[in-house]
Amino acid sequence: MKQIIHGSIVLSKRLRQHPVWSREAMSYGQALVDLLLLANDKARRVTINGETFELKRGQLAWSKRRLESEWNRSRNWVDRFLRWCNDESMIVVDSTNRRTIITIINYDVYQIAPEQTEGSTEV
């Protein structure tokens, strides 16, 4: 199970599958947590629109259109949120008309330390 930790709170990536997660439109805080849940926990190769490249740990490749749909928000809201996170030095957005790659700055800060076991909640 892949988990995210903040203080002593551990969140499973499975949280996104629970009906409460998408019951209402996203807030900024929930959208930020969602980016953390969506980010890759290890490097992997992906192909988007015929272009193959490697996503690093802490990166995700989701279109703004897909984020609009997942978050039940408008394109303007998604753009404002991503711009705000970028301005706050929380993310870097690399976007073309074919794909959007979002890099979470300091992604490892939000992760369980390697020496901790999956069931551990100690910080």
Side-chain angles (χ1 to χ4, degrees):
M1 171 174 38
K2 305 300 178 203
Q3 299 174 327
I4 294 176
I5 187 167
H6 182 273
S8 62
I9 299 172
V10 177
L11 299 176
S12 169
K13 289 187 178 223
R14 288 181 289 183
L15 175 63
R16 296 191 79 253
Q17 299 166 358
H18 193 284
V20 74
W21 191 251
S22 59
R23 185 176 170 104
E24 298 177 15
M26 292 273 176
S27 67
Y28 270 32
Q30 188 179 4
L32 178 61
V33 170
D34 204 40
L35 290 179
L36 291 167
L37 294 172
L38 291 169
N40 288 305
D41 57 347
K42 60 184 174 185
R44 67 184 182 107
R45 294 186 65 75
V46 296
T47 302
I48 299 174
N49 294 323
E51 180 184 359
T52 301
F53 52 93
E54 184 155 327
L55 284 178
K56 298 174 185 169
R57 177 176 164 83
Q59 291 184 316
L60 59 141
W62 276 48
S63 69
K64 291 179 183 179
R65 182 176 295 151
R66 188 164 177 198
L67 291 175
E68 290 172 41
S69 175
E70 288 285 319
W71 294 346
N72 193 25
R73 289 294 189 166
S74 69
R75 172 62 65 95
N76 285 338
W77 190 93
V78 170
D79 284 339
R80 281 192 314 272
F81 168 72
L82 294 175
R83 189 171 40 255
W84 179 80
C85 287
N86 183 74
D87 291 348
E88 293 294 318
S89 300
M90 300 162 77
I91 65 170
V92 173
V93 179
D94 176 14
S95 190
T96 70
N97 31 337
R98 295 177 55 97
R99 53 108 182 112
T100 298
I101 297 175
I102 299 170
T103 303
I104 309 293
I105 297 173
N106 295 323
Y107 176 76
D108 289 333
V109 169
Y110 301 101
Q111 303 305 304
I112 294 174
E115 66 275 2
Q116 290 181 306
T117 62
E118 201 170 276
S120 175
T121 58
E122 294 181 28
V123 184

